[in-house]
Amino acid sequence: MKRYDDCVRADGLCGVCSLSSRGLDCHNNKIPGLLYERSVLGMSKKELSEKSGVNVRQIHRYESSSSDTGNMTLKNAIALANALECDVKDLL
C-alpha cells in the first residue's frame, strides 16, 4: 500500500490503520481487495504466492491494478481466497 508522509503507523500498512475504512485508505484512495486482505494478515506477496500457488508477478499485477481482478481465472481467485481465508468476493 502507498505509504503517506502523515501515516501514523510505523509498519506503513496505511490501509489497515484506524483512520481507514474497508476498501479506502486514510486518504480515501481505493485499496484493491487482494492488497487489503493480504495486508490485514501481514502476509508478503512471496508468502501469498507460496501458499496459493499463484505467481508473485501476477499477484503484483492484481494489487497494482495493472490486471483487473474481475478477470482473474477462477482457479487463481479460489486459490488466493483460500490462502487468505476470505471470500472470493472480497478480492474483487
Side-chain angles (χ1 to χ4, degrees), residues 11-75:
D11 59 12
L13 296 176
C14 193
V16 294
C17 76
S18 61
L19 299 175
S20 67
S21 62
R22 174 67 173 99
L24 298 174
D25 65 17
C26 61
H27 288 249
N28 287 326
N29 295 315
K30 187 177 184 318
I31 301 169
L34 177 59
L35 176 58
Y36 180 83
E37 296 296 333
R38 183 177 64 79
S39 298
V40 167
L41 293 177
M43 190 181 290
S44 71
K45 288 178 193 172
K46 183 178 180 189
E47 291 170 329
L48 178 57
S49 176
E50 290 169 356
K51 192 170 180 182
S52 67
V54 177
N55 188 291
V56 71
R57 286 184 296 258
Q58 189 61 44
I59 292 170
H60 176 76
R61 287 184 203 111
Y62 292 140
E63 290 184 355
S64 66
S65 299
S66 61
S67 287
D68 183 11
T69 54
N71 290 331
M72 79 170 71
T73 65
L74 183 57
K75 179 182 175 185

